[in-house]
């Protein structure tokens, strides 16, 4: 009975991830991602692309195999992997593909990826999603400070950049320096509470809330402000 309940729970998690179900905000994540990010630049010093690589946790991956193994052969064939990529791409579009680039106080608009490439590593028992996003308009890196992050507003999906070399840069303008900020949960909670406390008497909490998941997220910074 407990095993059956776990299978149902896993399928519900997968469905919410794929279909963008309007689930309420969660106090803790239910899907875990081991992520890497690669940022590349053009010869002119503009942002060329952000490339994400996500290894999904084993529980989530196994639920996807169950849901998408149409021919019941116990694995995901190329056509089935393609179907997974299309379904997930449709779902996470609503959440900006969990990929955020910022300069100053503004978000940078990124074009939707052409496709999500999906592989299943049977030895690891995990799915890997990889895809590339480009800015909708030319974005100058040279002379600017730019931040990059993956996070889920609802905190249903948690992104971990614990691997060595999780943030890679290619062809950056000379003089650019990269940095990483990964607050602990305690530090994030203090920052979140400070944001709440900083609201004035006439201020209201933004309609989309003050996102603990964003505060907790790992942020990569490219400082190209100096030649």
């Amino acid at each position: 009975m407990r095993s059956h309940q776990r299978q149902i729970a896993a399928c519900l998690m997968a469905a919410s991830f794929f279909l963008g179900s309007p689930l309420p905000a969660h106090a803790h994540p239910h899907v875990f991602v081991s992520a890497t990010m690669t940022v590349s630049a053009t010869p002119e010093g503009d942002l060329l692309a952000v490339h994400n690589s996500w290894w999904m946790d084993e529980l989530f991956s196994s639920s996807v195999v169950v849901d998408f193994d149409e021919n019941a052969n116990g694995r995901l064939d190329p056509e089935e992997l393609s179907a997974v990529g299309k379904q997930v791409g449709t779902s996470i579009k609503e959440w900006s593909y969990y990929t955020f680039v910022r300069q100053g106080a503004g978000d940078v608009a990124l074009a939707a990826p052409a496709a999500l490439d999906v592989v299943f590593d049977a030895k690891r028992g995990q799915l890997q999603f990889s895809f590339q996003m480009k800015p909708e308009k030319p974005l100058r890196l040279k002379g600017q400070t730019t931040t990059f992050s993956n996070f889920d507003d609802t905190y249903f999906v948690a992104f971990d950049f614990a691997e060595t070399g999780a943030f890679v840069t290619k062809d950056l303008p000379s003089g650019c320096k990269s940095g990483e900020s990964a607050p602990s949960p305690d530090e994030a909670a203090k920052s979140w509470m400070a944001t709440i406390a900083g609201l004035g008497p006439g201020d209201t909490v933004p309609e989309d809330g003050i996102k603990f998941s964003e505060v907790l997220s790992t942020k990569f910074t490219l400082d190209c402000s100096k030649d």
Side-chain angles (χ1 to χ4, degrees):
M1 179 65 177
R2 289 181 180 177
S3 176
H4 180 62
Q5 289 174 336
R6 284 197 296 269
Q7 289 179 346
I8 293 175
C11 289
L12 287 174
M13 293 175 195
S16 67
F17 185 83
F18 287 143
L19 304 178
S21 302
L23 295 177
H26 295 266
H28 55 84
H30 291 71
V31 178
F32 299 88
V33 178
S34 178
T36 60
M37 178 184 287
T38 301
V39 172
S40 56
T42 68
E44 295 75 27
D46 294 346
L47 176 64
L48 175 61
V50 178
H51 184 273
N52 290 310
S53 176
W54 300 341
W55 283 102
M56 314 305 293
D57 67 75
E58 293 181 20
L59 177 60
F60 175 82
S61 297
S62 64
S63 71
V64 174
V65 173
V66 170
D67 287 347
F68 283 82
D69 183 16
E70 294 290 339
N71 57 12
N73 64 355
R75 61 178 184 270
L76 293 179
D77 298 323
E79 296 81 3
E80 294 163 342
L81 288 169
S82 178
V84 172
K86 289 179 181 178
Q87 184 66 62
V88 172
T90 298
S91 171
I92 65 176
K93 180 179 180 180
E94 178 182 355
W95 310 105
S96 302
Y97 299 92
Y98 301 142
T99 303
F100 301 92
V101 178
R102 288 180 178 164
Q103 277 189 352
D107 289 332
V108 174
L110 299 175
L116 270 64
D117 295 323
V118 189
V119 298
F120 181 73
D121 188 321
K123 291 183 178 180
R124 295 176 58 160
Q126 291 177 274
L127 281 166
Q128 181 192 37
F129 294 95
S130 58
F131 60 96
Q132 179 172 280
M133 301 180 73
K134 296 185 176 182
E136 289 186 351
K137 298 179 180 180
L139 181 73
R140 195 72 169 170
L141 294 176
K142 194 171 183 179
Q144 303 289 334
T145 297
T146 313
T147 62
F148 304 82
S149 57
N150 287 152
F151 65 86
D152 172 18
D153 285 347
T154 68
Y155 206 32
F156 189 85
V157 183
F159 293 87
D160 182 9
F161 287 88
E163 296 290 333
T164 301
F167 184 61
V168 178
T169 58
K170 292 183 177 180
D171 304 322
L172 295 183
S174 61
C176 290
K177 296 181 179 180
S178 62
E180 176 182 340
S181 173
S184 69
D186 286 344
E187 291 171 334
K190 290 178 181 178
S191 177
W192 186 82
M193 289 302 295
T195 303
I196 294 290
L199 296 174
D203 295 334
T204 58
V205 175
E207 290 184 4
D208 59 353
I210 296 175
K211 306 178 184 68
F212 181 69
S213 57
E214 179 178 359
V215 175
L216 187 60
S217 66
T218 298
K219 296 177 180 64
F220 299 105
T221 302
L222 287 183
D223 184 355
C224 303
S225 59
K226 296 180 182 181
D227 293 333

